Amino acid sequence: MQQWAGCLIRRLPTVDSTNREARRWTAEGAPHGAVVIAEDQTDGRGRRGRGWESTPGAGLWFSMVLRPDIPPESYAMLPLLAALAASDACAEVSPVRPAIKWPNDLIATGRKLVGILVEREGDAAVMGIGINVRQREMDFPEPLRGKAISLEMLTDAPVSIDALAHALMRQIERRMDRFDFLAEYSARCITVGSDVRVLEAGGAFCGRAEAIDAQGALLVRDAEGTLRRVLAGDVSVRGVMGYA
Ligand code: BT5
């Protein structure tokens, strides 16, 4: 049993976004490890203004408040920690261990299974994780069909959303307390060692992803041989999720 992760759990039938709720709660003093779980999100959020499709009752829509004792530059590692924790939590409750694509997409059979959104709220952070569990192909809106997948589509066996939530809390706590997961993350991340296309605010470039540094940035060798540090940006991996 974990010590602090899930010390308080706010379970809601519906909310705009569990991340927003956790941020409001953080501002009111929610403790380290407090969790918000909703059955439905009316305005589930992705990164950079994108949305997250949260089929009611069909997934784990989860946010945890973190008040970690880490230096500010280490906050960028939190999405990576979330990816490892979510991948292992899926493997605890189902036969699926999703692959990790830098920084925080979890994919299986080339489709997106999990989305992660970590946001700062004052000195704290909110770690938002969405895991598709029960959806069938037709439950996803048209643009996501063929691109999104759920645990039960992969296994054809029932998966307990509650057991998944508890596995996730344990996995987050274990890694937060040690905070030395870079080597493990690098070994398990399919982006490292792959040809990638990086889309940044200033434009796009292609190269080979060589490593991840201590701040969680992706180091990409471009066509001119220059090693470029990618902190934020959308990275496509050749051969995965539509990038030929
Ligand atoms: C993410 O953004 O993947 C972060 C999603 C985080 C969702 C969780 S749910 C609990 C917590 N509360 C929130 O409000 N958010 C967090 P990004 O990398 O920007 O990807 C967003 C894109 O993923 C969308 O533009 C769609 O293309 C795709 N997408 C949306 N919903 C999806 C789903 N259910 N399954 C797979 N892909 C989806």
Side-chain angles (χ1 to χ4, degrees):
M1 196 56 193
Q2 67 273 16
Q3 303 285 309
W4 52 263
C7 54
L8 290 179
I9 302 180
R10 197 174 268 186
R11 286 181 193 277
L12 303 168
T14 183
V15 71
D16 50 354
S17 141
T18 56
N19 261 40
R20 281 220 188 88
E21 179 70 13
R23 290 179 68 172
R24 292 189 284 263
W25 196 7
T26 302
E28 293 160 9
H32 181 55
V35 164
V36 178
I37 296 173
E39 271 184 42
D40 184 17
Q41 299 187 109
T42 54
D43 187 23
R45 295 167 59 235
R47 298 177 300 155
R48 275 171 247 135
R50 291 184 289 242
W52 182 256
E53 186 60 37
S54 320
T55 323
L60 176 61
W61 320 131
F62 169 106
S63 299
M64 187 185 282
V65 176
L66 296 170
R67 299 183 183 278
D69 187 16
I70 55 174
E73 62 275 15
S74 295
Y75 275 79
M77 294 298 286
L78 293 175
L80 284 59
L81 183 153
L84 278 173
S87 177
D88 285 352
C90 290
E92 266 193 49
V93 302
S94 80
V96 180
R97 185 183 297 273
I100 300 171
K101 181 174 145 303
W102 183 89
N104 54 5
D105 278 336
L106 293 197
I107 55 180
T109 63
R111 300 180 185 197
K112 184 155 164 163
L113 177 72
V114 175
I116 293 166
L117 176 66
V118 178
E119 299 180 289
R120 291 290 294 269
E121 178 63 42
D123 291 339
V126 166
M127 180 179 280
I129 301 176
I131 306 181
N132 297 326
V133 178
R134 300 236 160 91
Q135 293 98 330
R136 298 281 142 194
E137 188 76 10
M138 295 313 281
D139 293 326
F140 291 112
E142 223 278 314
L144 286 181
R145 289 185 204 148
K147 296 187 179 147
I149 200 153
S150 72
L151 283 174
E152 291 191 1
M153 282 163 75
L154 290 160
T155 65
D156 257 334
V159 173
S160 159
I161 294 177
D162 202 44
L164 180 61
H166 281 93
L168 185 59
M169 291 187 257
R170 276 197 304 279
Q171 292 289 350
I172 294 172
E173 177 168 313
R174 181 166 80 79
R175 291 208 163 77
M176 282 297 302
D177 285 349
R178 294 180 41 215
F179 220 79
D180 66 346
F181 49 87
L182 181 57
E184 186 192 1
Y185 180 91
S186 303
R188 286 175 55 184
C189 174
I190 58 165
T191 314
V192 176
S194 297
D195 290 331
V196 297
R197 183 168 178 278
V198 181
L199 187 62
E200 291 181 315
F205 70 94
C206 292
R208 165 65 62 106
E210 293 193 347
I212 291 160
D213 74 12
Q215 278 79 50
L218 187 67
L219 304 179
V220 180
R221 182 86 54 192
D222 69 14
E224 283 75 48
T226 308
L227 198 59
R228 293 169 67 160
R229 199 163 173 264
V230 182
L231 255 178
D234 284 314
V235 175
S236 317
V237 178
R238 189 174 284 274
V240 176
M241 295 211 292
Y243 171 43

